Amino acid sequence: DRPLLNTGHTKPVCSLQFNKFDSRFLATGSEDCSVKLFNLNHDGVAASDPVTLSGHRNSVRETLFHPLARDVLLTSSLDNTVKIWDAGAGKEAFALPPSLHSDTINNCSWSFDGRLVATSCKDKNVRVLDPRSGTSVHTVKAHNGPRTAVNWCGRKDRQDVIVTTGQGVTGDRQLGLWDPRMMDKALCTK
């Protein structure tokens, strides 16, 4: 048996996401520091050679399409950077300043309206970033352990909530709920 998709990556794939506006459009991020964009036919086979996006200096750990804009792709890497790509044109639109993250980025999550991005980092901080201005709107130590994760939850017609997971002081697992407008204190931690 051979795989339906030859990724073209030279090292393992760490992340993949289909574009919700066109389920035949797939983005993959790899340990080879690149992102590949595939246009698949109806059988799930690549219709053409993938477009390669280069610019990260270390393993690409996250590929996330924008929730409302068809060809906008966010990637994060072990080089501690977040980049925004114009997937339709196959080029980098801009990168957030590397100074925003002092350590490895664990994961990212778009807000529902796509105006903000939440990131969790090995430095134990969760950040809410404004990609357009390249600034951190909020930075908070969500949990005591370095393995935190963040996800933007809620609905478009309600107030968003950010959910974090991580470890407490004694190593116990924790779940935190945060109001992204005011992150000085968690709404709830269990």
Side-chain angles (χ1 to χ4, degrees):
D1 289 65
R2 49 174 221 190
L4 290 177
L5 182 66
N6 178 357
T7 67
H9 289 291
T10 58
K11 293 187 177 176
V13 171
C14 302
S15 177
L16 61 87
Q17 189 174 47
F18 285 94
N19 188 325
K20 77 175 195 173
F21 296 102
D22 183 353
S23 62
R24 293 176 296 156
F25 197 51
L26 171 69
T28 60
S30 169
E31 287 182 3
D32 67 8
C33 310
S34 72
V35 175
K36 303 275 186 185
L37 303 174
F38 295 90
N39 206 347
L40 306 176
N41 64 26
H42 292 290
D43 297 327
V45 178
S48 59
D49 288 337
V51 172
T52 301
L53 304 178
S54 300
H56 284 294
R57 296 182 325 276
N58 206 327
S59 179
V60 177
R61 294 301 191 167
E62 189 104 51
T63 53
L64 293 173
F65 280 103
H66 192 278
L68 300 177
R70 179 183 188 97
D71 290 328
V72 176
L73 177 71
L74 175 146
T75 59
S76 69
S77 166
L78 291 182
D79 63 10
N80 305 346
T81 63
V82 174
K83 294 183 182 287
I84 308 293
W85 305 85
D86 179 340
K91 64 180 184 176
E92 183 180 322
F94 58 90
L96 296 179
S99 60
L100 290 175
H101 296 92
S102 62
D103 209 335
T104 303
I105 300 166
N106 294 330
N107 79 308
C108 304
S109 182
W110 284 105
S111 63
F112 284 97
D113 60 10
R115 289 186 297 172
L116 300 172
V117 174
T119 63
S120 68
C121 186
K122 194 174 177 183
D123 67 6
K124 306 175 188 175
N125 286 316
V126 168
R127 293 168 177 83
V128 175
L129 309 174
D130 180 344
R132 289 188 178 101
S133 69
T135 60
S136 176
V137 178
H138 299 288
T139 300
V140 63
K141 182 178 175 184
H143 302 281
N144 290 309
R147 291 188 178 135
T148 59
V150 64
N151 196 6
W152 216 290
C153 296
R155 296 189 332 217
K156 289 187 291 189
D157 60 339
R158 289 181 148 183
Q159 178 57 45
D160 292 349
V161 174
I162 292 176
V163 177
T164 60
T165 58
Q167 292 178 319
V169 178
T170 60
D172 56 319
R173 294 181 185 179
Q174 288 184 336
L175 176 75
L177 297 177
W178 305 81
D179 181 342
R181 299 169 301 170
M182 196 172 58
M183 294 201 43
D184 53 331
K185 184 178 178 196
L187 297 171
C188 175
T189 302
K190 296 283 181 191

Short mmCIF file of all heavy atoms in Angstrom, two decimals, residues 93-131:
data_model
loop_
_atom_site.label_atom_id
_atom_site.label_comp_id
_atom_site.label_asym_id
_atom_site.label_seq_id
_atom_site.Cartn_x
_atom_site.Cartn_y
_atom_site.Cartn_z
N ALA A 93 2.68 36.84 4.60
CA ALA A 93 2.10 38.18 4.67
C ALA A 93 2.86 39.00 5.70
O ALA A 93 3.26 40.12 5.43
CB ALA A 93 0.61 38.10 5.01
N PHE A 94 3.05 38.43 6.89
CA PHE A 94 3.84 39.08 7.93
C PHE A 94 4.12 38.10 9.05
O PHE A 94 3.49 37.05 9.15
CB PHE A 94 3.17 40.35 8.47
CG PHE A 94 1.79 40.15 9.03
CD1 PHE A 94 1.60 39.85 10.37
CD2 PHE A 94 0.68 40.27 8.21
CE1 PHE A 94 0.33 39.67 10.89
CE2 PHE A 94 -0.60 40.09 8.73
CZ PHE A 94 -0.77 39.79 10.07
N ALA A 95 5.08 38.45 9.88
CA ALA A 95 5.43 37.65 11.05
C ALA A 95 5.24 38.50 12.30
O ALA A 95 5.52 39.70 12.28
CB ALA A 95 6.89 37.18 10.96
N LEU A 96 4.75 37.88 13.35
CA LEU A 96 4.66 38.59 14.62
C LEU A 96 6.07 38.73 15.19
O LEU A 96 6.93 37.85 14.96
CB LEU A 96 3.76 37.84 15.59
CG LEU A 96 2.30 37.74 15.14
CD1 LEU A 96 1.49 36.95 16.15
CD2 LEU A 96 1.69 39.10 14.95
N PRO A 97 6.35 39.78 15.93
CA PRO A 97 7.70 39.98 16.46
C PRO A 97 8.15 38.78 17.32
O PRO A 97 7.40 38.32 18.18
CB PRO A 97 7.58 41.24 17.32
CG PRO A 97 6.37 41.94 16.80
CD PRO A 97 5.44 40.88 16.30
N PRO A 98 9.36 38.26 17.08
CA PRO A 98 9.87 37.13 17.86
C PRO A 98 9.95 37.44 19.36
O PRO A 98 9.91 36.54 20.18
CB PRO A 98 11.25 36.85 17.29
CG PRO A 98 11.32 37.58 16.01
CD PRO A 98 10.30 38.67 16.04
N SER A 99 10.04 38.70 19.70
CA SER A 99 10.15 39.08 21.12
C SER A 99 8.87 38.80 21.91
O SER A 99 8.88 38.84 23.14
CB SER A 99 10.50 40.57 21.22
OG SER A 99 9.49 41.35 20.60
N LEU A 100 7.76 38.49 21.23
CA LEU A 100 6.51 38.21 21.94
C LEU A 100 6.57 36.90 22.73
O LEU A 100 5.85 36.74 23.71
CB LEU A 100 5.34 38.16 20.96
CG LEU A 100 4.91 39.49 20.35
CD1 LEU A 100 3.82 39.26 19.30
CD2 LEU A 100 4.43 40.45 21.42
N HIS A 101 7.40 35.96 22.30
CA HIS A 101 7.50 34.67 22.97
C HIS A 101 8.96 34.40 23.35
O HIS A 101 9.83 34.36 22.50
CB HIS A 101 7.00 33.54 22.06
CG HIS A 101 5.54 33.67 21.74
ND1 HIS A 101 5.10 34.34 20.62
CD2 HIS A 101 4.44 33.24 22.39
CE1 HIS A 101 3.78 34.30 20.60
NE2 HIS A 101 3.35 33.65 21.67
N SER A 102 9.19 34.19 24.64
CA SER A 102 10.55 33.97 25.12
C SER A 102 10.95 32.49 25.10
O SER A 102 12.08 32.16 25.38
CB SER A 102 10.69 34.50 26.55
OG SER A 102 9.81 33.80 27.41
N ASP A 103 10.00 31.62 24.77
CA ASP A 103 10.26 30.19 24.78
C ASP A 103 9.37 29.53 23.73
O ASP A 103 8.63 30.20 23.02
CB ASP A 103 9.99 29.62 26.19
CG ASP A 103 10.85 28.40 26.50
OD1 ASP A 103 11.26 27.70 25.56
OD2 ASP A 103 11.08 28.14 27.69
N THR A 104 9.40 28.22 23.68
CA THR A 104 8.66 27.44 22.70
C THR A 104 7.16 27.69 22.80
O THR A 104 6.58 27.67 23.88
CB THR A 104 8.94 25.93 22.91
OG1 THR A 104 10.34 25.72 22.84
CG2 THR A 104 8.23 25.09 21.88
N ILE A 105 6.54 27.91 21.65
CA ILE A 105 5.09 28.07 21.58
C ILE A 105 4.46 26.68 21.57
O ILE A 105 4.80 25.84 20.72
CB ILE A 105 4.68 28.85 20.32
CG1 ILE A 105 5.32 30.25 20.34
CG2 ILE A 105 3.16 28.94 20.19
CD1 ILE A 105 5.25 30.97 19.02
N ASN A 106 3.57 26.42 22.52
CA ASN A 106 2.91 25.11 22.59
C ASN A 106 1.79 24.98 21.57
O ASN A 106 1.69 23.97 20.88
CB ASN A 106 2.35 24.86 24.00
CG ASN A 106 3.44 24.73 25.03
OD1 ASN A 106 4.55 24.30 24.74
ND2 ASN A 106 3.14 25.11 26.26
N ASN A 107 0.92 25.97 21.51
CA ASN A 107 -0.14 25.95 20.51
C ASN A 107 -0.77 27.33 20.36
O ASN A 107 -0.46 28.25 21.12
CB ASN A 107 -1.21 24.89 20.84
CG ASN A 107 -2.18 25.32 21.91
OD1 ASN A 107 -1.79 25.74 22.99
ND2 ASN A 107 -3.46 25.21 21.61
N CYS A 108 -1.63 27.45 19.36
CA CYS A 108 -2.30 28.72 19.05
C CYS A 108 -3.78 28.45 18.78
O CYS A 108 -4.16 27.33 18.45
CB CYS A 108 -1.71 29.35 17.78
SG CYS A 108 0.05 29.65 17.82
N SER A 109 -4.58 29.50 18.88
CA SER A 109 -6.00 29.39 18.57
C SER A 109 -6.52 30.76 18.13
O SER A 109 -6.29 31.76 18.81
CB SER A 109 -6.77 28.90 19.81
OG SER A 109 -8.14 28.74 19.53
N TRP A 110 -7.20 30.80 16.98
CA TRP A 110 -7.82 32.04 16.50
C TRP A 110 -9.06 32.35 17.32
O TRP A 110 -9.80 31.44 17.72
CB TRP A 110 -8.29 31.89 15.05
CG TRP A 110 -7.26 31.93 13.98
CD1 TRP A 110 -6.78 30.86 13.27
CD2 TRP A 110 -6.61 33.08 13.44
NE1 TRP A 110 -5.88 31.28 12.33
CE2 TRP A 110 -5.76 32.64 12.41
CE3 TRP A 110 -6.68 34.44 13.72
CZ2 TRP A 110 -4.98 33.52 11.66
CZ3 TRP A 110 -5.90 35.31 12.98
CH2 TRP A 110 -5.05 34.85 11.97
N SER A 111 -9.37 33.62 17.52
CA SER A 111 -10.69 34.02 18.04
C SER A 111 -11.70 33.76 16.93
O SER A 111 -11.34 33.62 15.76
CB SER A 111 -10.69 35.49 18.45
OG SER A 111 -10.46 36.32 17.33
N PHE A 112 -12.98 33.71 17.28
CA PHE A 112 -14.00 33.39 16.28
C PHE A 112 -14.10 34.42 15.18
O PHE A 112 -14.42 34.08 14.05
CB PHE A 112 -15.37 33.18 16.96
CG PHE A 112 -15.45 31.85 17.63
CD1 PHE A 112 -15.22 31.75 18.99
CD2 PHE A 112 -15.72 30.70 16.92
CE1 PHE A 112 -15.27 30.52 19.62
CE2 PHE A 112 -15.77 29.48 17.54
CZ PHE A 112 -15.55 29.38 18.89
N ASP A 113 -13.83 35.68 15.50
CA ASP A 113 -13.89 36.71 14.47
C ASP A 113 -12.55 36.89 13.76
O ASP A 113 -12.44 37.68 12.84
CB ASP A 113 -14.37 38.04 15.04
CG ASP A 113 -13.47 38.58 16.14
OD1 ASP A 113 -12.36 38.05 16.36
OD2 ASP A 113 -13.89 39.56 16.80
N GLY A 114 -11.53 36.16 14.19
CA GLY A 114 -10.23 36.20 13.53
C GLY A 114 -9.42 37.45 13.79
O GLY A 114 -8.38 37.65 13.18
N ARG A 115 -9.86 38.29 14.72
CA ARG A 115 -9.11 39.52 15.02
C ARG A 115 -7.95 39.27 15.97
O ARG A 115 -6.98 40.03 15.97
CB ARG A 115 -10.03 40.58 15.59
CG ARG A 115 -10.98 41.15 14.55
CD ARG A 115 -11.78 42.29 15.11
NE ARG A 115 -12.61 41.78 16.21
CZ ARG A 115 -13.32 42.54 17.01
NH1 ARG A 115 -13.31 43.83 16.87
NH2 ARG A 115 -14.06 42.00 17.96
N LEU A 116 -8.04 38.22 16.80
CA LEU A 116 -7.02 37.95 17.81
C LEU A 116 -6.58 36.49 17.73
O LEU A 116 -7.31 35.64 17.21
CB LEU A 116 -7.56 38.26 19.21
CG LEU A 116 -8.01 39.70 19.47
CD1 LEU A 116 -8.70 39.80 20.82
CD2 LEU A 116 -6.84 40.67 19.38
N VAL A 117 -5.40 36.24 18.29
CA VAL A 117 -4.86 34.89 18.39
C VAL A 117 -4.42 34.67 19.83
O VAL A 117 -3.76 35.54 20.41
CB VAL A 117 -3.64 34.71 17.45
CG1 VAL A 117 -2.99 33.35 17.66
CG2 VAL A 117 -4.03 34.90 16.00
N ALA A 118 -4.78 33.53 20.39
CA ALA A 118 -4.28 33.16 21.72
C ALA A 118 -3.16 32.15 21.53
O ALA A 118 -3.25 31.27 20.67
CB ALA A 118 -5.40 32.56 22.56
N THR A 119 -2.09 32.30 22.31
CA THR A 119 -0.98 31.34 22.26
C THR A 119 -0.66 30.87 23.67
O THR A 119 -0.82 31.61 24.64
CB THR A 119 0.29 31.96 21.65
OG1 THR A 119 0.76 33.02 22.48
CG2 THR A 119 0.06 32.47 20.24
N SER A 120 -0.22 29.63 23.77
CA SER A 120 0.34 29.14 25.03
C SER A 120 1.80 28.86 24.77
O SER A 120 2.20 28.51 23.67
CB SER A 120 -0.39 27.88 25.51
OG SER A 120 -0.14 26.79 24.65
N CYS A 121 2.60 29.04 25.81
CA CYS A 121 4.04 28.99 25.64
C CYS A 121 4.69 28.21 26.78
O CYS A 121 4.15 28.14 27.89
CB CYS A 121 4.56 30.44 25.61
SG CYS A 121 6.29 30.64 25.23
N LYS A 122 5.83 27.64 26.49
CA LYS A 122 6.57 26.88 27.50
C LYS A 122 6.98 27.76 28.69
O LYS A 122 7.24 27.26 29.78
CB LYS A 122 7.80 26.24 26.87
CG LYS A 122 8.46 25.19 27.70
CD LYS A 122 9.57 24.50 26.94
CE LYS A 122 10.27 23.48 27.81
NZ LYS A 122 11.38 22.86 27.10
N ASP A 123 6.99 29.08 28.52
CA ASP A 123 7.31 29.99 29.63
C ASP A 123 6.14 30.12 30.61
O ASP A 123 6.16 30.95 31.51
CB ASP A 123 7.75 31.36 29.12
CG ASP A 123 6.64 32.14 28.43
OD1 ASP A 123 5.47 31.69 28.41
OD2 ASP A 123 6.94 33.22 27.89
N LYS A 124 5.10 29.29 30.43
CA LYS A 124 3.91 29.20 31.29
C LYS A 124 2.91 30.32 31.06
O LYS A 124 1.91 30.42 31.77
CB LYS A 124 4.29 29.14 32.78
CG LYS A 124 5.27 28.04 33.11
CD LYS A 124 5.69 28.10 34.55
CE LYS A 124 6.83 27.11 34.78
NZ LYS A 124 7.36 27.21 36.12
N ASN A 125 3.15 31.17 30.07
CA ASN A 125 2.25 32.28 29.80
C ASN A 125 1.29 31.97 28.66
O ASN A 125 1.65 31.29 27.70
CB ASN A 125 3.03 33.54 29.45
CG ASN A 125 3.69 34.15 30.66
OD1 ASN A 125 3.09 34.26 31.72
ND2 ASN A 125 4.94 34.56 30.51
N VAL A 126 0.10 32.50 28.79
CA VAL A 126 -0.88 32.52 27.70
C VAL A 126 -0.96 33.97 27.25
O VAL A 126 -1.04 34.89 28.07
CB VAL A 126 -2.25 32.01 28.17
CG1 VAL A 126 -3.32 32.28 27.15
CG2 VAL A 126 -2.17 30.51 28.47
N ARG A 127 -0.91 34.17 25.95
CA ARG A 127 -0.95 35.51 25.40
C ARG A 127 -2.13 35.66 24.46
O ARG A 127 -2.45 34.72 23.72
CB ARG A 127 0.35 35.81 24.63
CG ARG A 127 1.56 35.89 25.52
CD ARG A 127 2.85 35.90 24.68
NE ARG A 127 4.02 36.04 25.54
CZ ARG A 127 4.61 35.03 26.17
NH1 ARG A 127 4.14 33.80 26.05
NH2 ARG A 127 5.68 35.25 26.94
N VAL A 128 -2.74 36.81 24.47
CA VAL A 128 -3.72 37.17 23.47
C VAL A 128 -3.04 38.21 22.61
O VAL A 128 -2.63 39.27 23.10
CB VAL A 128 -5.02 37.71 24.11
CG1 VAL A 128 -5.98 38.18 23.03
CG2 VAL A 128 -5.67 36.64 24.98
N LEU A 129 -2.90 37.89 21.33
CA LEU A 129 -2.14 38.73 20.41
C LEU A 129 -3.05 39.38 19.37
O LEU A 129 -4.02 38.77 18.93
CB LEU A 129 -1.08 37.89 19.69
CG LEU A 129 -0.17 37.04 20.56
CD1 LEU A 129 0.73 36.17 19.69
CD2 LEU A 129 0.66 37.92 21.48
N ASP A 130 -2.68 40.58 18.98
CA ASP A 130 -3.33 41.26 17.86
C ASP A 130 -2.37 41.13 16.68
O ASP A 130 -1.35 41.82 16.62
CB ASP A 130 -3.57 42.73 18.20
CG ASP A 130 -4.24 43.48 17.07
OD1 ASP A 130 -4.26 42.99 15.92
OD2 ASP A 130 -4.76 44.58 17.33
N PRO A 131 -2.67 40.23 15.74
CA PRO A 131 -1.73 40.01 14.63
C PRO A 131 -1.53 41.24 13.75
O PRO A 131 -0.45 41.44 13.22
CB PRO A 131 -2.36 38.88 13.81
CG PRO A 131 -3.55 38.42 14.52
CD PRO A 131 -3.83 39.35 15.66
#
